[in-house]
Amino acid sequence: MSKKKDFLRTVVENDLQSGKYKEIVTRFPPEPNGFPHIGHAKSISINFGIARDYHGHCNLRMDDTNPTKEDTKYVAALENAVKWLGFDWGEDLYFTSDYFSQIHAYAIKLIKMGKAYVDSLTEEQIREYRGTVTEAGKRSKYANRTVEENLDLFERMKNGEFSDGEHVLRAKIDMSAANMKMRDPLLYRIRNVNHFRAGNEWAIYPMYDFAHCLSDYIEGVSHSICTLEFENNRDIYNWVLDTLELQPPRPYQYEFARLNINYTVMSKRKLLELVEGNYVSGWDDPRLPTIAGYKRRGYTPESILTFCDQIGIAKANSMVDVAQLEFCIRDDLNKKVPRVMCVLDPLKVTIENYEGFEEIDAPYYPHDVPKDGSRKLPFSKEIFIQRDDFEENPPKGYFRLTPNQAVRLRHAYIISCKEIIKDENGKIIEIKAEYYPDSKSGSADTSGVKVKSAIQWVSATDAKEVEIRLYDRLFKNEIPEGIEDLNPDSLKIIKNALVEPAIVKEKPDERFQFERIGYFYTDPIDYSDDTPVFNQIVGLKDSWGKKTKEKKVQPKAQAKQVQIDGEVVAMSKEEEALFDKYTKELQLNSEVANTLARDKKLSDFFEEALMEYNNPVNIANIVTNEVARELKQKELTDLKFIPQQVAQLVKMIDDETISTKIAKDVFETMSKSGEEPKQIVDSRGLLQISDPDIIAPIIEDIIVKNPDNVEKFRAGNKKLLGFFVGQVLKETGGKANPKVVNELVAKKLSEK
Ligand code: ATP
Ligand code: MG
């Protein structure tokens, strides 16, 4: 089971235990009147998830009782969405329309029981007669019709003898019921229209309240799970099944809170408005919260399901921040996709002292060392870098190329700026640069040149021109009212971005991280050999949260105050925004977040490192301890290492290539020599030792040398475990994997 138990699963478990049902049957019952959205994904994940967890079954049922709005293209979209999310409804796709005859028979049964009648009031009168919350309603005079009259009229309604609205069939319940829905609810209405599946067979169609409970019953559903707005309909649900005296087991209805997300609209009706008004390119426009839109944009089904899991199942409606969904997709892709290079806004760089051509073997997964896969990266005299990776007059803390600051070209060499070429308007059109032949990435860098960061680039002669589609929130307001709140900048098309040649292929279906920019997906519809099109799935970090927070004017008194060393100093708005992001989104503890947020040098360093490897907690620890210590004595520009190297170091700890203890030594070496951590580990043989076959003999040796302590341990002094572990670590120069050592020592000491 994927998570802790929610209230629905508790109900299901109790029902299984009490023997109320032999099998759990749920259903996902959409109306095929539009494309499904992320709210439906939540319903799908709940219904299919519960069926899966309890070895039951979940039906997919098209709730097609409203023939004026429904269409087969929506049926297909719903099927596709469920499949894409990885669920299976078995052999049969169900339609409520398949039960029209059975539902009709139940209606006749109710009429014969005197529990339903044909009413001939106008729609207006029906509303008037219903009363109000504080006033009882009044029953229609037609409620006195005899069973024969009702049967006759109902038959003629069915045969199309009347026009729409002339009559309805109503349940005879209670016109003074506190629950207004129980005041003789409508069961059938006349609609003289063609049904997309049932054709012209019917001139009457059952209402939701009548059709839904009966369809559930017919299908043997045990738990009919729907959203909170149906809470008041539950009484009708029960009334219909009880009054018809249907044999148990029968279904019961349970309600959960529907999903709302900010900066978008979710109902199919509102989405249809956007589609029909051409405000978006179609139901699968990547800016829409539709499953088809997410799919086209490059979201993974896994990330959407993780999101549904995270938000949980609640009984109270709330608004979920879209940033949470974005976090899930980022987190999923971070683990999976190759890193490549793209330049969105190219600035030409001519490397004057470089002649010829070479192909650099560059790993696709530099953040995940053991994972194989690399491509050839052409390097030549003329390259393009991102325009904003060069600053003629850099602000403080600028890490990239400037007239006085060299930069590393990712996977390649360090370059420095020799000359800036401008056009007649003063716009920079080219940089003349010089490279350092000894500085090649991956080999011992003996150039002695200090850099603060590595930037992406492409070789001018080999780069491929592509179209990049950048997406922003579809609406500019958190809770949009309507079309007038559309964000005019929700789509930005960059026609001549440049990417490295390796990633442009025939008909790919691939996701990439364009380093330092974001995650991208080959557009499944518009991608062609002539114009490769990449959709931005999500940026590397949540820039939106920052943007909007900064705009908010906050009264001084509310500024967050964090106590340090007994002294309280208010944060600036920017620092506060960072602090919030670090604690809430990145889950850093408040002390670490406080240190980072208040120090621009540290937070910039931290964020650069995060782009290389996404483990905020561990990177933040090294940055606020080791890096901060270095920076007490040195300026940023005097550091020998760059953020990416720190990220690599953390990565090596995480994948257990090195122990934390050794990592400290590696950091010391790196901070003195600037060597790559991997190189330090390789050349000094610092790989962590996790192999029990190597560790066990060392332990045995120590046991033999310390008979007294062994005896004390066995006599009950368990504290001595630490002594033995410490001895082993010492013996291996700190390279032994403490976890393995702990286990083995405990085992060996308990053996006699
Ligand atoms: P819409 O207003 O978008 O048309 P709906 O509720 O009318 O939504 P249906 O097609 O009738 O959509 O719903 C199918 C199932 O999906 C229902 O059980 C419904 O409760 C559920 N559902 C719809 N929207 C959401 C949502 N935002 N969050 C969770 N479940 C939802
Ligand atoms: Mg609806």
Side-chain angles (χ1 to χ4, degrees):
M1 203 146 311
S2 54
K3 57 187 161 170
K4 71 175 196 293
K5 225 182 304 160
D6 51 76
F7 77 93
L8 290 171
R9 283 174 168 80
T10 306
V11 169
V12 165
E13 284 186 14
N14 290 341
D15 287 349
L16 278 173
Q17 243 157 36
S18 72
K20 188 164 165 187
Y21 303 104
K22 278 208 230 37
E23 194 196 9
I24 298 305
V25 182
T26 56
R27 83 287 170 269
F28 171 60
E31 184 184 351
N33 62 348
F35 273 54
H37 47 65
I38 183 90
H40 292 107
K42 175 171 180 183
S43 181
I44 290 168
S45 107
I46 291 174
N47 281 296
F48 280 92
I50 288 180
R52 174 203 58 212
D53 290 350
Y54 297 96
H55 312 290
H57 187 77
C58 180
N59 297 337
L60 174 57
R61 182 202 312 149
M62 300 297 153
D63 196 11
D64 55 347
T65 53
N66 185 1
T68 55
K69 293 187 180 155
E70 295 155 5
D71 197 291
T72 44
K73 70 171 182 239
Y74 300 135
V75 173
L78 283 154
E79 287 184 81
N80 289 339
V82 175
K83 266 188 238 161
W84 185 68
L85 288 172
F87 294 110
D88 180 8
W89 57 87
E91 281 175 16
D92 300 310
L93 172 63
Y94 295 126
F95 290 83
T96 304
S97 56
D98 290 340
Y99 315 135
F100 279 173
S101 298
Q102 280 162 284
I103 296 171
H104 178 251
Y106 283 124
I108 289 183
K109 188 174 167 193
L110 280 183
I111 294 175
K112 287 182 176 166
M113 295 169 85
K115 296 287 186 189
Y117 61 94
V118 173
D119 196 0
S120 310
L121 294 180
T122 63
E123 219 183 306
E124 176 75 42
Q125 287 170 318
I126 290 180
R127 205 173 309 126
E128 249 170 58
Y129 278 42
R130 187 165 285 134
T132 64
V133 191
T134 50
E135 260 173 84
K138 172 169 95 181
R139 187 161 269 159
S140 161
K141 63 178 179 199
Y142 301 109
N144 298 323
R145 281 172 168 151
T146 63
V147 169
E148 286 67 34
E149 262 178 294
N150 280 322
L151 286 174
D152 175 59
L153 277 172
F154 189 51
E155 176 66 15
R156 290 165 57 201
M157 282 165 67
K158 169 177 174 271
N159 295 336
E161 289 183 30
F162 305 109
S163 46
D164 290 12
E166 246 184 290
H167 306 288
V168 290
L169 184 74
R170 296 180 75 168
K172 200 183 228 174
I173 308 180
D174 179 2
M175 288 305 290
S176 58
N179 178 356
M180 301 266 296
K181 298 246 176 189
M182 291 293 273
R183 297 185 182 177
D184 290 10
L186 271 56
L187 303 181
Y188 266 92
R189 61 182 168 180
I190 299 172
R191 281 275 184 278
N192 286 290
V193 289
N194 201 58
H195 185 280
F196 78 103
R197 295 188 78 244
N200 287 320
E201 201 186 334
W202 300 87
I204 50 171
Y205 291 93
M207 303 297 289
Y208 170 87
D209 280 324
F210 194 49
H212 202 85
C213 52
L214 288 170
S215 306
D216 283 347
Y217 180 76
I218 292 165
E219 288 177 10
V221 166
S222 57
H223 297 79
S224 181
I225 300 165
C226 62
T227 36
L228 280 178
E229 68 273 20
F230 292 99
E231 205 167 352
N232 287 335
N233 303 60
R234 195 198 315 137
D235 287 341
I236 311 180
Y237 191 101
N238 289 332
W239 182 89
V240 172
L241 298 184
D242 289 345
T243 307
L244 285 166
E245 293 170 349
L246 297 174
Q247 288 305 303
R250 51 153 278 202
Y252 286 87
Q253 177 186 305
Y254 302 90
E255 309 90 20
F256 69 93
R258 69 193 287 125
L259 167 63
N260 296 302
I261 292 192
N262 55 6
Y263 298 105
T264 192
V265 291
M266 200 97 96
S267 91
K268 281 177 282 176
R269 185 179 53 77
K270 289 187 181 162
L271 294 171
L272 183 68
E273 231 174 87
L274 294 173
V275 172
E276 291 195 325
N278 290 318
Y279 296 103
V280 293
S281 66
W283 282 103
D284 65 351
D285 187 299
R287 291 166 295 176
L288 288 181
T290 54
I291 308 295
Y294 288 124
K295 181 176 172 197
R296 180 163 179 189
R297 180 148 170 186
Y299 273 59
T300 56
E302 294 85 350
S303 64
I304 292 179
L305 292 174
T306 305
F307 171 72
C308 291
D309 253 23
Q310 277 186 8
I311 56 179
I313 309 177
K315 267 278 189 193
N317 281 318
S318 66
M319 176 73 74
V320 174
D321 192 341
V322 62
Q324 197 176 342
L325 174 62
E326 290 165 352
F327 178 84
C328 291
I329 180 68
R330 211 178 277 128
D331 194 47
D332 187 35
L333 296 179
N334 175 44
K335 290 178 222 132
K336 294 177 179 165
V337 306
R339 270 56 171 168
V340 297
M341 294 198 283
C342 167
V343 172
L344 293 177
D345 184 6
L347 172 63
K348 186 172 158 188
V349 174
T350 304
I351 305 168
E352 297 196 300
N353 61 338
Y354 186 88
E355 294 304 332
F357 173 83
E358 68 188 285
E359 282 190 321
I360 298 168
D361 193 49
Y364 272 131
Y365 306 97
H367 59 296
D368 193 356
V369 181
K371 196 156 160 182
D372 278 340
S374 65
R375 79 287 193 186
K376 295 274 184 254
L377 210 49
F379 185 82
S380 61
K381 190 180 180 76
E382 282 185 2
I383 61 168
F384 286 102
I385 64 169
Q386 179 74 17
R387 181 165 288 279
D388 60 14
D389 281 339
F390 176 78
E391 279 292 343
E392 191 177 6
N393 302 299
K396 238 183 144 186
Y398 186 84
F399 281 152
R400 296 159 274 169
L401 188 62
T402 74
N404 303 311
Q405 182 172 279
V407 78
R408 173 172 294 285
L409 297 172
R410 179 71 162 147
H411 299 302
Y413 301 95
I414 293 174
I415 58 167
S416 60
C417 168
K418 291 285 135 213
E419 191 186 342
I420 305 169
I421 315 284
K422 296 179 178 171
D423 67 9
E424 61 272 24
N425 302 317
K427 185 181 174 191
I428 301 173
I429 49 170
E430 188 186 341
I431 303 290
K432 303 263 188 220
E434 181 182 74
Y435 90 115
Y436 300 90
D438 300 341
S439 67
K440 193 164 174 187
S441 205
S443 50
D445 175 358
T446 52
S447 68
V449 183
K450 288 175 230 145
V451 292
K452 294 279 134 282
S453 72
I455 61 172
Q456 75 266 35
W457 55 275
V458 291
S459 160
T461 42
D462 305 271
K464 295 275 188 272
E465 209 170 270
V466 298
E467 178 176 322
I468 301 283
R469 297 179 183 167
L470 299 173
Y471 301 106
D472 201 342
R473 312 265 147 97
L474 184 53
F475 289 91
K476 48 182 196 257
N477 297 0
E478 195 157 353
I479 303 169
E481 303 271 328
I483 304 298
E484 66 278 9
D485 291 333
L486 281 167
N487 172 7
D489 303 319
S490 60
L491 170 62
K492 191 169 156 201
I493 297 178
I494 298 177
K495 288 276 186 199
N496 33 28
L498 297 171
V499 298
E500 52 175 281
I503 68 168
V504 172
K505 298 174 197 143
E506 247 179 272
K507 293 203 197 79
D509 167 18
E510 276 187 90
R511 298 177 179 85
F512 299 99
Q513 185 196 96
F514 290 170
E515 291 201 59
R516 306 178 67 236
I517 305 176
Y519 293 97
F520 288 80
Y521 182 52
T522 49
D523 187 88
I525 313 249
D526 294 337
Y527 189 103
S528 71
D529 290 353
D530 289 338
T531 315
V533 178
F534 292 84
N535 291 321
Q536 181 190 36
I537 309 169
V538 67
L540 282 187
K541 27 181 191 177
D542 176 17
S543 55
W544 180 275
K546 239 198 225 166
K547 249 193 286 178
T548 47
K549 264 214 188 89
E550 279 168 15
K551 266 195 247 143
K552 266 187 212 157
V553 190
Q554 285 209 330
K556 258 229 152 67
Q558 271 183 23
K560 182 160 285 147
Q561 306 213 320
V562 175
Q563 194 161 344
I564 335 152
D565 300 337
E567 194 191 342
V568 178
V569 186
M571 284 187 177
S572 73
K573 263 178 286 168
E574 289 75 20
E575 290 169 350
E576 194 184 315
L578 268 188
F579 181 83
D580 279 350
K581 176 181 146 186
Y582 290 163
T583 48
K584 292 189 187 130
E585 204 184 308
L586 303 183
Q587 308 276 313
L588 303 186
N589 74 41
S590 51
E591 202 177 318
V592 170
N594 180 50
T595 310
L596 285 177
R598 286 173 186 274
D599 188 331
K600 178 103 175 65
K601 280 194 290 188
L602 277 189
S603 59
D604 282 350
F605 192 100
F606 170 65
E607 305 231 347
E608 282 275 327
L610 261 196
M611 280 195 237
E612 172 81 11
Y613 174 60
N614 192 16
N615 183 341
V617 173
N618 293 358
I619 290 182
N621 277 337
I622 292 213
V623 172
T624 50
N625 291 305
E626 273 74 17
V627 178
R629 199 181 56 230
E630 286 284 308
L631 281 176
K632 272 196 186 130
Q633 297 135 12
K634 291 184 186 130
E635 274 308 302
L636 212 53
T637 35
D638 296 329
L639 291 184
K640 298 251 184 185
F641 54 91
I642 62 176
Q644 282 86 352
Q645 281 168 290
V646 170
Q648 292 296 350
L649 186 63
V650 173
K651 177 76 185 63
M652 292 171 90
I653 304 171
D654 286 355
D655 61 23
E656 302 193 352
T657 308
I658 51 174
S659 66
T660 3
K661 170 142 195 332
I662 291 293
K664 291 213 162 65
D665 299 345
V666 175
F667 182 88
E668 292 309 320
T669 310
M670 179 175 88
S671 65
K672 289 195 190 89
S673 72
E675 270 175 287
E676 298 287 330
K678 183 168 182 312
Q679 208 177 302
I680 299 171
V681 171
D682 284 351
S683 66
R684 292 180 37 201
L686 298 176
L687 277 188
Q688 177 158 264
I689 305 169
S690 299
D691 185 352
D693 289 344
I694 301 177
I695 296 173
I698 302 174
I699 297 177
E700 273 151 25
D701 198 39
I702 291 168
I703 286 180
V704 171
K705 283 186 191 146
N706 295 280
D708 293 356
N709 280 342
V710 174
E711 206 171 302
K712 282 185 204 155
F713 178 87
R714 290 188 175 149
N717 187 352
K718 298 296 173 203
K719 280 187 198 145
L720 283 167
L721 190 71
F723 162 79
F724 288 100
V725 171
Q727 291 294 309
V728 179
L729 293 181
K730 202 167 138 200
E731 197 62 33
T732 58
K735 290 187 293 181
N737 183 337
K739 250 193 323 198
V740 179
V741 174
N742 252 302
E743 277 164 27
L744 277 183
V745 165
K747 196 167 140 233
K748 294 268 170 213
L749 284 175
S750 62
E751 283 167 5
K752 295 236 161 157

PDB file of all heavy atoms in Angstrom, residues 30-31 33 37 40 69 229-230 258 267-269, ligand 2:
ATOM      1  N   PRO A  30     -17.233   9.394 -15.154  1.00  0.00           N
ATOM      2  CA  PRO A  30     -17.270  10.730 -15.739  1.00  0.00           C
ATOM      3  C   PRO A  30     -18.396  10.906 -16.745  1.00  0.00           C
ATOM      4  O   PRO A  30     -18.817   9.943 -17.382  1.00  0.00           O
ATOM      5  CB  PRO A  30     -15.936  10.820 -16.460  1.00  0.00           C
ATOM      6  CG  PRO A  30     -15.643   9.409 -16.857  1.00  0.00           C
ATOM      7  CD  PRO A  30     -16.168   8.561 -15.734  1.00  0.00           C
ATOM      8  N   GLU A  31     -18.820  12.143 -16.874  1.00  0.00           N
ATOM      9  CA  GLU A  31     -19.743  12.456 -17.953  1.00  0.00           C
ATOM     10  C   GLU A  31     -18.891  12.809 -19.175  1.00  0.00           C
ATOM     11  O   GLU A  31     -18.008  13.669 -19.085  1.00  0.00           O
ATOM     12  CB  GLU A  31     -20.614  13.658 -17.558  1.00  0.00           C
ATOM     13  CG  GLU A  31     -21.651  13.943 -18.605  1.00  0.00           C
ATOM     14  CD  GLU A  31     -22.490  15.187 -18.307  1.00  0.00           C
ATOM     15  OE1 GLU A  31     -22.373  15.744 -17.200  1.00  0.00           O
ATOM     16  OE2 GLU A  31     -23.251  15.579 -19.207  1.00  0.00           O
ATOM     17  N   ASN A  33     -18.493  14.846 -21.458  1.00  0.00           N
ATOM     18  CA  ASN A  33     -18.854  16.144 -22.016  1.00  0.00           C
ATOM     19  C   ASN A  33     -17.664  17.087 -22.062  1.00  0.00           C
ATOM     20  O   ASN A  33     -17.797  18.298 -22.129  1.00  0.00           O
ATOM     21  CB  ASN A  33     -20.002  16.775 -21.209  1.00  0.00           C
ATOM     22  CG  ASN A  33     -19.603  17.034 -19.763  1.00  0.00           C
ATOM     23  OD1 ASN A  33     -18.575  16.550 -19.302  1.00  0.00           O
ATOM     24  ND2 ASN A  33     -20.409  17.785 -19.046  1.00  0.00           N
ATOM     25  N   HIS A  37      -9.589  16.397 -16.456  1.00  0.00           N
ATOM     26  CA  HIS A  37      -8.551  17.291 -15.940  1.00  0.00           C
ATOM     27  C   HIS A  37      -7.888  16.679 -14.706  1.00  0.00           C
ATOM     28  O   HIS A  37      -8.202  15.541 -14.315  1.00  0.00           O
ATOM     29  CB  HIS A  37      -9.156  18.671 -15.639  1.00  0.00           C
ATOM     30  CG  HIS A  37     -10.456  18.615 -14.871  1.00  0.00           C
ATOM     31  ND1 HIS A  37     -10.541  18.145 -13.585  1.00  0.00           N
ATOM     32  CD2 HIS A  37     -11.723  18.973 -15.240  1.00  0.00           C
ATOM     33  CE1 HIS A  37     -11.784  18.227 -13.163  1.00  0.00           C
ATOM     34  NE2 HIS A  37     -12.543  18.711 -14.153  1.00  0.00           N
ATOM     35  N   HIS A  40     -10.008  15.053 -12.181  1.00  0.00           N
ATOM     36  CA  HIS A  40     -10.406  13.688 -12.509  1.00  0.00           C
ATOM     37  C   HIS A  40      -9.275  12.710 -12.183  1.00  0.00           C
ATOM     38  O   HIS A  40      -9.524  11.583 -11.755  1.00  0.00           O
ATOM     39  CB  HIS A  40     -10.795  13.572 -13.990  1.00  0.00           C
ATOM     40  CG  HIS A  40     -12.065  14.308 -14.313  1.00  0.00           C
ATOM     41  ND1 HIS A  40     -12.065  15.483 -15.018  1.00  0.00           N
ATOM     42  CD2 HIS A  40     -13.354  14.051 -14.015  1.00  0.00           C
ATOM     43  CE1 HIS A  40     -13.319  15.921 -15.146  1.00  0.00           C
ATOM     44  NE2 HIS A  40     -14.117  15.069 -14.538  1.00  0.00           N
ATOM     45  N   LYS A  69     -24.926  17.243 -24.590  1.00  0.00           N
ATOM     46  CA  LYS A  69     -23.552  17.735 -24.428  1.00  0.00           C
ATOM     47  C   LYS A  69     -22.473  16.673 -24.669  1.00  0.00           C
ATOM     48  O   LYS A  69     -21.290  16.961 -24.602  1.00  0.00           O
ATOM     49  CB  LYS A  69     -23.367  18.261 -23.002  1.00  0.00           C
ATOM     50  CG  LYS A  69     -24.183  19.499 -22.736  1.00  0.00           C
ATOM     51  CD  LYS A  69     -23.829  20.053 -21.374  1.00  0.00           C
ATOM     52  CE  LYS A  69     -24.623  21.306 -21.072  1.00  0.00           C
ATOM     53  NZ  LYS A  69     -24.758  21.516 -19.632  1.00  0.00           N
ATOM     54  N   GLU A 229     -19.816  17.910  -3.250  1.00  0.00           N
ATOM     55  CA  GLU A 229     -21.036  18.612  -3.660  1.00  0.00           C
ATOM     56  C   GLU A 229     -22.219  17.654  -3.801  1.00  0.00           C
ATOM     57  O   GLU A 229     -23.362  18.089  -3.941  1.00  0.00           O
ATOM     58  CB  GLU A 229     -20.804  19.434  -4.936  1.00  0.00           C
ATOM     59  CG  GLU A 229     -20.549  18.655  -6.208  1.00  0.00           C
ATOM     60  CD  GLU A 229     -19.069  18.319  -6.402  1.00  0.00           C
ATOM     61  OE1 GLU A 229     -18.307  18.344  -5.433  1.00  0.00           O
ATOM     62  OE2 GLU A 229     -18.683  18.013  -7.554  1.00  0.00           O
ATOM     63  N   PHE A 230     -21.946  16.359  -3.729  1.00  0.00           N
ATOM     64  CA  PHE A 230     -23.030  15.380  -3.813  1.00  0.00           C
ATOM     65  C   PHE A 230     -23.523  14.916  -2.437  1.00  0.00           C
ATOM     66  O   PHE A 230     -24.339  14.005  -2.330  1.00  0.00           O
ATOM     67  CB  PHE A 230     -22.590  14.158  -4.633  1.00  0.00           C
ATOM     68  CG  PHE A 230     -22.391  14.470  -6.088  1.00  0.00           C
ATOM     69  CD1 PHE A 230     -21.122  14.708  -6.603  1.00  0.00           C
ATOM     70  CD2 PHE A 230     -23.486  14.544  -6.947  1.00  0.00           C
ATOM     71  CE1 PHE A 230     -20.945  15.021  -7.940  1.00  0.00           C
ATOM     72  CE2 PHE A 230     -23.315  14.855  -8.289  1.00  0.00           C
ATOM     73  CZ  PHE A 230     -22.040  15.099  -8.793  1.00  0.00           C
ATOM     74  N   ARG A 258     -13.151  17.798  -3.461  1.00  0.00           N
ATOM     75  CA  ARG A 258     -12.606  17.844  -4.809  1.00  0.00           C
ATOM     76  C   ARG A 258     -11.321  18.650  -4.814  1.00  0.00           C
ATOM     77  O   ARG A 258     -11.062  19.453  -3.919  1.00  0.00           O
ATOM     78  CB  ARG A 258     -13.624  18.372  -5.815  1.00  0.00           C
ATOM     79  CG  ARG A 258     -13.978  19.829  -5.690  1.00  0.00           C
ATOM     80  CD  ARG A 258     -15.214  20.184  -6.519  1.00  0.00           C
ATOM     81  NE  ARG A 258     -14.970  20.224  -7.949  1.00  0.00           N
ATOM     82  CZ  ARG A 258     -15.682  19.505  -8.841  1.00  0.00           C
ATOM     83  NH1 ARG A 258     -16.634  18.703  -8.436  1.00  0.00           N
ATOM     84  NH2 ARG A 258     -15.424  19.608 -10.116  1.00  0.00           N
ATOM     85  N   SER A 267     -13.338  23.225 -14.160  1.00  0.00           N
ATOM     86  CA  SER A 267     -14.528  22.509 -14.590  1.00  0.00           C
ATOM     87  C   SER A 267     -14.509  22.358 -16.119  1.00  0.00           C
ATOM     88  O   SER A 267     -13.994  23.214 -16.841  1.00  0.00           O
ATOM     89  CB  SER A 267     -15.796  23.211 -14.120  1.00  0.00           C
ATOM     90  OG  SER A 267     -16.227  24.113 -15.104  1.00  0.00           O
ATOM     91  N   LYS A 268     -15.081  21.256 -16.577  1.00  0.00           N
ATOM     92  CA  LYS A 268     -15.084  20.994 -18.012  1.00  0.00           C
ATOM     93  C   LYS A 268     -15.808  22.109 -18.771  1.00  0.00           C
ATOM     94  O   LYS A 268     -15.439  22.449 -19.887  1.00  0.00           O
ATOM     95  CB  LYS A 268     -15.738  19.633 -18.285  1.00  0.00           C
ATOM     96  CG  LYS A 268     -14.783  18.478 -18.001  1.00  0.00           C
ATOM     97  CD  LYS A 268     -15.460  17.140 -18.205  1.00  0.00           C
ATOM     98  CE  LYS A 268     -16.335  16.810 -17.023  1.00  0.00           C
ATOM     99  NZ  LYS A 268     -17.102  15.577 -17.153  1.00  0.00           N
ATOM    100  N   ARG A 269     -16.835  22.664 -18.121  1.00  0.00           N
ATOM    101  CA  ARG A 269     -17.577  23.745 -18.775  1.00  0.00           C
ATOM    102  C   ARG A 269     -16.663  24.947 -19.039  1.00  0.00           C
ATOM    103  O   ARG A 269     -16.626  25.490 -20.135  1.00  0.00           O
ATOM    104  CB  ARG A 269     -18.753  24.157 -17.881  1.00  0.00           C
ATOM    105  CG  ARG A 269     -19.668  25.187 -18.472  1.00  0.00           C
ATOM    106  CD  ARG A 269     -20.825  25.510 -17.526  1.00  0.00           C
ATOM    107  NE  ARG A 269     -20.377  25.889 -16.171  1.00  0.00           N
ATOM    108  CZ  ARG A 269     -19.869  27.086 -15.863  1.00  0.00           C
ATOM    109  NH1 ARG A 269     -19.735  28.013 -16.793  1.00  0.00           N
ATOM    110  NH2 ARG A 269     -19.496  27.353 -14.623  1.00  0.00           N
TER     111      ARG A 269
HETATM  112 MG    MG B   2     -20.138  18.094 -14.811  1.00  0.00          MG
END
